[in-house]
Amino acid sequence: FFLQPEKILFPGDAAGLMDPDGTVRPLFFSNYINYENSLKRLIKLEAEVLALPHNKFIKGRDKVDQYLNNSLEITRTAGQEIADYLNKGLNSIEIAEILYSQKFAKASFMGPRDAVMINLKSMVNSVSIKQNN
């Protein structure tokens, strides 16, 4: 949702998830390309306030732009990392295990390990679909 004239953006998971330590986690579960395009559209809105899930918010256009651009860069990096693993012949379970151990094991809002693994496998599959199109 985008409230005007206040320019308050409620992106849901479309802008990633911010952990309490400020780490941004991409959440492209179903379609990597659509997720990246959504982030680009959110940046163009020029929001003044970003109301993130779990009671986090960012005030100030520069800070909002910085967060959204950072989320886009993290998304692209994660997508490329997954693509590299796929190109090496790893399957979605193997890649999800690597991502979990390296980046998501300490993510406080991601939920129980089984739920995180389902989400990570979905992210791998969304990148796989991108590669095959």
mmCIF file of all heavy atoms in Angstrom, residues 20-60:
data_model
loop_
_atom_site.group_PDB
_atom_site.id
_atom_site.type_symbol
_atom_site.label_atom_id
_atom_site.label_comp_id
_atom_site.label_asym_id
_atom_site.label_seq_id
_atom_site.Cartn_x
_atom_site.Cartn_y
_atom_site.Cartn_z
ATOM 1 N N PRO A 20 16.667 -7.447 13.238
ATOM 2 C CA PRO A 20 16.953 -6.408 14.242
ATOM 3 C C PRO A 20 18.346 -5.788 14.107
ATOM 4 O O PRO A 20 18.531 -4.628 14.433
ATOM 5 C CB PRO A 20 16.822 -7.153 15.574
ATOM 6 C CG PRO A 20 15.858 -8.252 15.278
ATOM 7 C CD PRO A 20 16.168 -8.672 13.862
ATOM 8 N N ASP A 21 19.301 -6.547 13.570
ATOM 9 C CA ASP A 21 20.653 -5.998 13.406
ATOM 10 C C ASP A 21 20.801 -5.172 12.131
ATOM 11 O O ASP A 21 21.870 -4.669 11.820
ATOM 12 C CB ASP A 21 21.705 -7.102 13.448
ATOM 13 C CG ASP A 21 21.645 -8.045 12.255
ATOM 14 O OD1 ASP A 21 20.788 -7.869 11.361
ATOM 15 O OD2 ASP A 21 22.478 -8.972 12.202
ATOM 16 N N GLY A 22 19.702 -5.028 11.352
ATOM 17 C CA GLY A 22 19.728 -4.232 10.134
ATOM 18 C C GLY A 22 19.987 -5.023 8.868
ATOM 19 O O GLY A 22 19.910 -4.483 7.768
ATOM 20 N N THR A 23 20.297 -6.306 8.998
ATOM 21 C CA THR A 23 20.524 -7.153 7.828
ATOM 22 C C THR A 23 19.232 -7.296 7.041
ATOM 23 O O THR A 23 18.174 -7.550 7.615
ATOM 24 C CB THR A 23 21.021 -8.552 8.258
ATOM 25 O OG1 THR A 23 22.212 -8.406 9.026
ATOM 26 C CG2 THR A 23 21.297 -9.437 7.054
ATOM 27 N N VAL A 24 19.319 -7.125 5.732
ATOM 28 C CA VAL A 24 18.157 -7.259 4.855
ATOM 29 C C VAL A 24 18.207 -8.629 4.188
ATOM 30 O O VAL A 24 19.238 -9.039 3.656
ATOM 31 C CB VAL A 24 18.133 -6.146 3.790
ATOM 32 C CG1 VAL A 24 16.946 -6.315 2.859
ATOM 33 C CG2 VAL A 24 18.109 -4.777 4.459
ATOM 34 N N ARG A 25 17.091 -9.325 4.241
ATOM 35 C CA ARG A 25 16.962 -10.655 3.631
ATOM 36 C C ARG A 25 15.986 -10.570 2.462
ATOM 37 O O ARG A 25 14.842 -10.143 2.639
ATOM 38 C CB ARG A 25 16.399 -11.660 4.634
ATOM 39 C CG ARG A 25 17.071 -11.638 5.979
ATOM 40 C CD ARG A 25 18.258 -12.516 6.034
ATOM 41 N NE ARG A 25 18.852 -12.393 7.365
ATOM 42 C CZ ARG A 25 20.084 -12.710 7.623
ATOM 43 N NH1 ARG A 25 20.842 -13.178 6.675
ATOM 44 N NH2 ARG A 25 20.564 -12.571 8.831
ATOM 45 N N PRO A 26 16.424 -10.961 1.252
ATOM 46 C CA PRO A 26 15.490 -10.972 0.128
ATOM 47 C C PRO A 26 14.473 -12.091 0.287
ATOM 48 O O PRO A 26 14.749 -13.113 0.909
ATOM 49 C CB PRO A 26 16.399 -11.216 -1.078
ATOM 50 C CG PRO A 26 17.586 -11.933 -0.530
ATOM 51 C CD PRO A 26 17.756 -11.431 0.884
ATOM 52 N N LEU A 27 13.291 -11.885 -0.276
ATOM 53 C CA LEU A 27 12.209 -12.869 -0.132
ATOM 54 C C LEU A 27 11.526 -13.133 -1.474
ATOM 55 O O LEU A 27 10.320 -13.015 -1.605
ATOM 56 C CB LEU A 27 11.185 -12.366 0.893
ATOM 57 C CG LEU A 27 11.710 -12.091 2.299
ATOM 58 C CD1 LEU A 27 10.650 -11.394 3.137
ATOM 59 C CD2 LEU A 27 12.156 -13.377 2.969
ATOM 60 N N PHE A 28 12.290 -13.523 -2.474
ATOM 61 C CA PHE A 28 11.715 -13.787 -3.796
ATOM 62 C C PHE A 28 11.294 -15.251 -3.899
ATOM 63 O O PHE A 28 11.901 -16.067 -4.539
ATOM 64 C CB PHE A 28 12.685 -13.404 -4.929
ATOM 65 C CG PHE A 28 14.097 -13.885 -4.778
ATOM 66 C CD1 PHE A 28 14.493 -15.122 -5.275
ATOM 67 C CD2 PHE A 28 15.045 -13.097 -4.159
ATOM 68 C CE1 PHE A 28 15.799 -15.561 -5.155
ATOM 69 C CE2 PHE A 28 16.361 -13.526 -4.033
ATOM 70 C CZ PHE A 28 16.738 -14.759 -4.530
ATOM 71 N N PHE A 29 10.170 -15.572 -3.272
ATOM 72 C CA PHE A 29 9.726 -16.963 -3.167
ATOM 73 C C PHE A 29 9.137 -17.534 -4.445
ATOM 74 O O PHE A 29 9.337 -18.692 -4.758
ATOM 75 C CB PHE A 29 8.697 -17.123 -2.046
ATOM 76 C CG PHE A 29 9.219 -16.734 -0.689
ATOM 77 C CD1 PHE A 29 8.431 -16.002 0.166
ATOM 78 C CD2 PHE A 29 10.486 -17.082 -0.286
ATOM 79 C CE1 PHE A 29 8.896 -15.649 1.426
ATOM 80 C CE2 PHE A 29 10.967 -16.728 0.960
ATOM 81 C CZ PHE A 29 10.164 -16.004 1.823
ATOM 82 N N SER A 30 8.345 -16.753 -5.164
ATOM 83 C CA SER A 30 7.628 -17.351 -6.280
ATOM 84 C C SER A 30 8.171 -16.958 -7.647
ATOM 85 O O SER A 30 8.112 -17.742 -8.575
ATOM 86 C CB SER A 30 6.138 -17.021 -6.209
ATOM 87 O OG SER A 30 5.952 -15.626 -6.272
ATOM 88 N N ASN A 31 8.697 -15.738 -7.791
ATOM 89 C CA ASN A 31 9.150 -15.304 -9.097
ATOM 90 C C ASN A 31 10.231 -14.247 -8.916
ATOM 91 O O ASN A 31 9.936 -13.103 -8.562
ATOM 92 C CB ASN A 31 7.971 -14.753 -9.905
ATOM 93 C CG ASN A 31 8.332 -14.451 -11.325
ATOM 94 O OD1 ASN A 31 9.298 -13.740 -11.606
ATOM 95 N ND2 ASN A 31 7.558 -14.989 -12.250
ATOM 96 N N TYR A 32 11.462 -14.643 -9.194
ATOM 97 C CA TYR A 32 12.593 -13.733 -9.001
ATOM 98 C C TYR A 32 12.443 -12.467 -9.843
ATOM 99 O O TYR A 32 12.644 -11.357 -9.364
ATOM 100 C CB TYR A 32 13.918 -14.430 -9.339
ATOM 101 C CG TYR A 32 15.077 -13.476 -9.270
ATOM 102 C CD1 TYR A 32 15.725 -13.254 -8.064
ATOM 103 C CD2 TYR A 32 15.492 -12.754 -10.380
ATOM 104 C CE1 TYR A 32 16.763 -12.338 -7.974
ATOM 105 C CE2 TYR A 32 16.522 -11.833 -10.301
ATOM 106 C CZ TYR A 32 17.146 -11.635 -9.094
ATOM 107 O OH TYR A 32 18.161 -10.722 -9.001
ATOM 108 N N ILE A 33 12.105 -12.611 -11.108
ATOM 109 C CA ILE A 33 12.015 -11.465 -12.011
ATOM 110 C C ILE A 33 10.954 -10.471 -11.528
ATOM 111 O O ILE A 33 11.210 -9.263 -11.482
ATOM 112 C CB ILE A 33 11.735 -11.925 -13.455
ATOM 113 C CG1 ILE A 33 12.938 -12.716 -13.981
ATOM 114 C CG2 ILE A 33 11.435 -10.739 -14.360
ATOM 115 C CD1 ILE A 33 12.686 -13.444 -15.283
ATOM 116 N N ASN A 34 9.786 -10.969 -11.154
ATOM 117 C CA ASN A 34 8.729 -10.078 -10.643
ATOM 118 C C ASN A 34 9.160 -9.383 -9.358
ATOM 119 O O ASN A 34 8.830 -8.215 -9.135
ATOM 120 C CB ASN A 34 7.434 -10.841 -10.424
ATOM 121 C CG ASN A 34 6.742 -11.206 -11.714
ATOM 122 O OD1 ASN A 34 7.076 -10.697 -12.782
ATOM 123 N ND2 ASN A 34 5.796 -12.115 -11.624
ATOM 124 N N TYR A 35 9.870 -10.104 -8.501
ATOM 125 C CA TYR A 35 10.337 -9.528 -7.240
ATOM 126 C C TYR A 35 11.300 -8.362 -7.510
ATOM 127 O O TYR A 35 11.153 -7.275 -6.942
ATOM 128 C CB TYR A 35 11.019 -10.609 -6.393
ATOM 129 C CG TYR A 35 11.413 -10.164 -5.016
ATOM 130 C CD1 TYR A 35 10.502 -10.215 -3.960
ATOM 131 C CD2 TYR A 35 12.693 -9.697 -4.746
ATOM 132 C CE1 TYR A 35 10.863 -9.806 -2.688
ATOM 133 C CE2 TYR A 35 13.058 -9.292 -3.481
ATOM 134 C CZ TYR A 35 12.143 -9.349 -2.450
ATOM 135 O OH TYR A 35 12.507 -8.944 -1.192
ATOM 136 N N GLU A 36 12.256 -8.595 -8.392
ATOM 137 C CA GLU A 36 13.213 -7.536 -8.729
ATOM 138 C C GLU A 36 12.494 -6.343 -9.362
ATOM 139 O O GLU A 36 12.762 -5.185 -9.012
ATOM 140 C CB GLU A 36 14.287 -8.076 -9.680
ATOM 141 C CG GLU A 36 15.365 -7.064 -9.984
ATOM 142 C CD GLU A 36 16.477 -7.599 -10.856
ATOM 143 O OE1 GLU A 36 16.815 -8.800 -10.764
ATOM 144 O OE2 GLU A 36 17.017 -6.793 -11.642
ATOM 145 N N ASN A 37 11.574 -6.606 -10.270
ATOM 146 C CA ASN A 37 10.818 -5.519 -10.899
ATOM 147 C C ASN A 37 9.966 -4.758 -9.887
ATOM 148 O O ASN A 37 9.822 -3.536 -9.989
ATOM 149 C CB ASN A 37 9.954 -6.055 -12.044
ATOM 150 C CG ASN A 37 10.784 -6.450 -13.245
ATOM 151 O OD1 ASN A 37 11.896 -5.949 -13.445
ATOM 152 N ND2 ASN A 37 10.266 -7.364 -14.040
ATOM 153 N N SER A 38 9.402 -5.457 -8.915
ATOM 154 C CA SER A 38 8.629 -4.789 -7.861
ATOM 155 C C SER A 38 9.501 -3.831 -7.064
ATOM 156 O O SER A 38 9.089 -2.710 -6.758
ATOM 157 C CB SER A 38 8.001 -5.818 -6.917
ATOM 158 O OG SER A 38 6.981 -6.517 -7.556
ATOM 159 N N LEU A 39 10.700 -4.263 -6.731
ATOM 160 C CA LEU A 39 11.616 -3.383 -6.003
ATOM 161 C C LEU A 39 11.927 -2.128 -6.817
ATOM 162 O O LEU A 39 11.949 -1.012 -6.264
ATOM 163 C CB LEU A 39 12.917 -4.118 -5.667
ATOM 164 C CG LEU A 39 12.909 -4.918 -4.382
ATOM 165 C CD1 LEU A 39 14.140 -5.815 -4.294
ATOM 166 C CD2 LEU A 39 12.850 -3.996 -3.182
ATOM 167 N N LYS A 40 12.138 -2.293 -8.107
ATOM 168 C CA LYS A 40 12.404 -1.124 -8.956
ATOM 169 C C LYS A 40 11.217 -0.159 -8.949
ATOM 170 O O LYS A 40 11.401 1.065 -8.898
ATOM 171 C CB LYS A 40 12.702 -1.574 -10.383
ATOM 172 C CG LYS A 40 14.021 -2.304 -10.533
ATOM 173 C CD LYS A 40 14.163 -2.800 -11.973
ATOM 174 C CE LYS A 40 15.309 -3.740 -12.139
ATOM 175 N NZ LYS A 40 15.357 -4.287 -13.527
ATOM 176 N N ARG A 41 10.008 -0.704 -8.989
ATOM 177 C CA ARG A 41 8.811 0.150 -8.953
ATOM 178 C C ARG A 41 8.669 0.841 -7.598
ATOM 179 O O ARG A 41 8.258 2.007 -7.524
ATOM 180 C CB ARG A 41 7.564 -0.664 -9.287
ATOM 181 C CG ARG A 41 7.448 -0.990 -10.769
ATOM 182 C CD ARG A 41 6.092 -1.545 -11.140
ATOM 183 N NE ARG A 41 5.763 -2.790 -10.480
ATOM 184 C CZ ARG A 41 6.064 -4.005 -10.943
ATOM 185 N NH1 ARG A 41 6.704 -4.141 -12.078
ATOM 186 N NH2 ARG A 41 5.716 -5.073 -10.277
ATOM 187 N N LEU A 42 8.983 0.135 -6.528
ATOM 188 C CA LEU A 42 8.902 0.746 -5.195
ATOM 189 C C LEU A 42 9.874 1.917 -5.076
ATOM 190 O O LEU A 42 9.539 2.946 -4.470
ATOM 191 C CB LEU A 42 9.186 -0.295 -4.111
ATOM 192 C CG LEU A 42 8.173 -1.430 -3.964
ATOM 193 C CD1 LEU A 42 8.634 -2.421 -2.910
ATOM 194 C CD2 LEU A 42 6.789 -0.899 -3.647
ATOM 195 N N ILE A 43 11.052 1.779 -5.640
ATOM 196 C CA ILE A 43 12.040 2.860 -5.607
ATOM 197 C C ILE A 43 11.494 4.099 -6.302
ATOM 198 O O ILE A 43 11.657 5.223 -5.829
ATOM 199 C CB ILE A 43 13.375 2.396 -6.240
ATOM 200 C CG1 ILE A 43 14.045 1.333 -5.343
ATOM 201 C CG2 ILE A 43 14.309 3.576 -6.479
ATOM 202 C CD1 ILE A 43 15.179 0.577 -6.000
ATOM 203 N N LYS A 44 10.813 3.913 -7.412
ATOM 204 C CA LYS A 44 10.275 5.036 -8.193
ATOM 205 C C LYS A 44 9.157 5.789 -7.475
ATOM 206 O O LYS A 44 8.849 6.922 -7.831
ATOM 207 C CB LYS A 44 9.765 4.533 -9.543
ATOM 208 C CG LYS A 44 10.875 4.128 -10.478
ATOM 209 C CD LYS A 44 10.304 3.627 -11.790
ATOM 210 C CE LYS A 44 11.422 3.150 -12.699
ATOM 211 N NZ LYS A 44 10.897 2.612 -13.974
ATOM 212 N N LEU A 45 8.565 5.195 -6.460
ATOM 213 C CA LEU A 45 7.486 5.870 -5.727
ATOM 214 C C LEU A 45 7.970 7.058 -4.911
ATOM 215 O O LEU A 45 7.190 7.922 -4.533
ATOM 216 C CB LEU A 45 6.763 4.881 -4.806
ATOM 217 C CG LEU A 45 5.944 3.809 -5.488
ATOM 218 C CD1 LEU A 45 5.405 2.819 -4.456
ATOM 219 C CD2 LEU A 45 4.812 4.421 -6.293
ATOM 220 N N GLU A 46 9.253 7.098 -4.593
ATOM 221 C CA GLU A 46 9.842 8.197 -3.827
ATOM 222 C C GLU A 46 9.151 8.375 -2.481
ATOM 223 O O GLU A 46 8.763 9.480 -2.085
ATOM 224 C CB GLU A 46 9.836 9.488 -4.647
ATOM 225 C CG GLU A 46 10.623 9.376 -5.931
ATOM 226 C CD GLU A 46 10.624 10.638 -6.771
ATOM 227 O OE1 GLU A 46 9.844 11.575 -6.486
ATOM 228 O OE2 GLU A 46 11.421 10.693 -7.721
ATOM 229 N N ALA A 47 9.009 7.281 -1.765
ATOM 230 C CA ALA A 47 8.354 7.292 -0.453
ATOM 231 C C ALA A 47 9.172 8.085 0.567
ATOM 232 O O ALA A 47 10.393 8.127 0.507
ATOM 233 C CB ALA A 47 8.156 5.858 0.038
ATOM 234 N N GLU A 48 8.459 8.675 1.497
ATOM 235 C CA GLU A 48 9.073 9.413 2.611
ATOM 236 C C GLU A 48 9.197 8.536 3.852
ATOM 237 O O GLU A 48 10.047 8.775 4.704
ATOM 238 C CB GLU A 48 8.255 10.658 2.941
ATOM 239 C CG GLU A 48 8.230 11.695 1.848
ATOM 240 C CD GLU A 48 9.564 12.412 1.674
ATOM 241 O OE1 GLU A 48 10.367 12.455 2.616
ATOM 242 O OE2 GLU A 48 9.792 12.922 0.560
ATOM 243 N N VAL A 49 8.303 7.538 3.956
ATOM 244 C CA VAL A 49 8.324 6.611 5.092
ATOM 245 C C VAL A 49 8.140 5.206 4.536
ATOM 246 O O VAL A 49 7.285 4.961 3.684
ATOM 247 C CB VAL A 49 7.202 6.919 6.107
ATOM 248 C CG1 VAL A 49 7.189 5.890 7.242
ATOM 249 C CG2 VAL A 49 7.350 8.323 6.665
ATOM 250 N N LEU A 50 8.935 4.287 5.033
ATOM 251 C CA LEU A 50 8.834 2.880 4.657
ATOM 252 C C LEU A 50 8.406 2.110 5.902
ATOM 253 O O LEU A 50 9.131 2.067 6.892
ATOM 254 C CB LEU A 50 10.182 2.380 4.145
ATOM 255 C CG LEU A 50 10.254 0.988 3.560
ATOM 256 C CD1 LEU A 50 9.372 0.886 2.312
ATOM 257 C CD2 LEU A 50 11.681 0.634 3.203
ATOM 258 N N ALA A 51 7.189 1.569 5.862
ATOM 259 C CA ALA A 51 6.643 0.815 6.990
ATOM 260 C C ALA A 51 6.832 -0.669 6.701
ATOM 261 O O ALA A 51 6.068 -1.283 5.961
ATOM 262 C CB ALA A 51 5.175 1.156 7.196
ATOM 263 N N LEU A 52 7.869 -1.245 7.288
ATOM 264 C CA LEU A 52 8.233 -2.640 7.048
ATOM 265 C C LEU A 52 7.489 -3.574 7.999
ATOM 266 O O LEU A 52 7.019 -3.144 9.060
ATOM 267 C CB LEU A 52 9.743 -2.816 7.222
ATOM 268 C CG LEU A 52 10.606 -2.039 6.228
ATOM 269 C CD1 LEU A 52 12.053 -1.998 6.698
ATOM 270 C CD2 LEU A 52 10.510 -2.660 4.845
ATOM 271 N N PRO A 53 7.412 -4.846 7.647
ATOM 272 C CA PRO A 53 6.794 -5.818 8.558
ATOM 273 C C PRO A 53 7.534 -5.869 9.900
ATOM 274 O O PRO A 53 8.700 -5.495 10.001
ATOM 275 C CB PRO A 53 6.937 -7.145 7.815
ATOM 276 C CG PRO A 53 7.120 -6.783 6.383
ATOM 277 C CD PRO A 53 7.830 -5.463 6.385
ATOM 278 N N HIS A 54 6.867 -6.367 10.892
ATOM 279 C CA HIS A 54 7.427 -6.569 12.238
ATOM 280 C C HIS A 54 7.782 -5.262 12.928
ATOM 281 O O HIS A 54 8.789 -5.153 13.624
ATOM 282 C CB HIS A 54 8.630 -7.520 12.204
ATOM 283 C CG HIS A 54 8.325 -8.826 11.561
ATOM 284 N ND1 HIS A 54 7.582 -9.806 12.178
ATOM 285 C CD2 HIS A 54 8.622 -9.310 10.327
ATOM 286 C CE1 HIS A 54 7.452 -10.832 11.362
ATOM 287 N NE2 HIS A 54 8.062 -10.562 10.225
ATOM 288 N N ASN A 55 6.944 -4.234 12.704
ATOM 289 C CA ASN A 55 7.049 -2.958 13.411
ATOM 290 C C ASN A 55 8.341 -2.191 13.155
ATOM 291 O O ASN A 55 8.809 -1.453 14.012
ATOM 292 C CB ASN A 55 6.858 -3.162 14.927
ATOM 293 C CG ASN A 55 5.501 -3.739 15.240
ATOM 294 O OD1 ASN A 55 4.508 -3.348 14.638
ATOM 295 N ND2 ASN A 55 5.454 -4.674 16.154
ATOM 296 N N LYS A 56 8.891 -2.345 11.993
ATOM 297 C CA LYS A 56 10.072 -1.562 11.616
ATOM 298 C C LYS A 56 9.628 -0.478 10.652
ATOM 299 O O LYS A 56 8.786 -0.710 9.788
ATOM 300 C CB LYS A 56 11.100 -2.451 10.910
ATOM 301 C CG LYS A 56 11.623 -3.573 11.742
ATOM 302 C CD LYS A 56 12.973 -3.214 12.224
ATOM 303 C CE LYS A 56 13.557 -4.401 12.958
ATOM 304 N NZ LYS A 56 14.380 -3.991 14.032
ATOM 305 N N PHE A 57 10.190 0.704 10.789
ATOM 306 C CA PHE A 57 9.929 1.723 9.785
ATOM 307 C C PHE A 57 11.145 2.612 9.634
ATOM 308 O O PHE A 57 11.976 2.742 10.522
ATOM 309 C CB PHE A 57 8.656 2.518 10.069
ATOM 310 C CG PHE A 57 8.636 3.242 11.366
ATOM 311 C CD1 PHE A 57 9.028 4.561 11.431
ATOM 312 C CD2 PHE A 57 8.199 2.609 12.530
ATOM 313 C CE1 PHE A 57 8.992 5.244 12.631
ATOM 314 C CE2 PHE A 57 8.158 3.275 13.735
ATOM 315 C CZ PHE A 57 8.558 4.597 13.789
ATOM 316 N N ILE A 58 11.233 3.191 8.441
ATOM 317 C CA ILE A 58 12.346 4.054 8.079
ATOM 318 C C ILE A 58 11.748 5.377 7.635
ATOM 319 O O ILE A 58 10.825 5.406 6.819
ATOM 320 C CB ILE A 58 13.180 3.423 6.949
ATOM 321 C CG1 ILE A 58 13.769 2.084 7.419
ATOM 322 C CG2 ILE A 58 14.277 4.363 6.484
ATOM 323 C CD1 ILE A 58 14.382 1.258 6.319
ATOM 324 N N LYS A 59 12.276 6.473 8.170
ATOM 325 C CA LYS A 59 11.771 7.805 7.831
ATOM 326 C C LYS A 59 12.833 8.584 7.064
ATOM 327 O O LYS A 59 14.023 8.488 7.376
ATOM 328 C CB LYS A 59 11.417 8.589 9.097
ATOM 329 C CG LYS A 59 10.210 8.084 9.825
ATOM 330 C CD LYS A 59 9.918 8.972 11.014
ATOM 331 C CE LYS A 59 8.706 8.506 11.770
ATOM 332 N NZ LYS A 59 8.417 9.371 12.923
ATOM 333 N N GLY A 60 12.370 9.360 6.105
ATOM 334 C CA GLY A 60 13.255 10.204 5.312
ATOM 335 C C GLY A 60 13.504 9.594 3.944
ATOM 336 O O GLY A 60 13.880 8.432 3.837
#
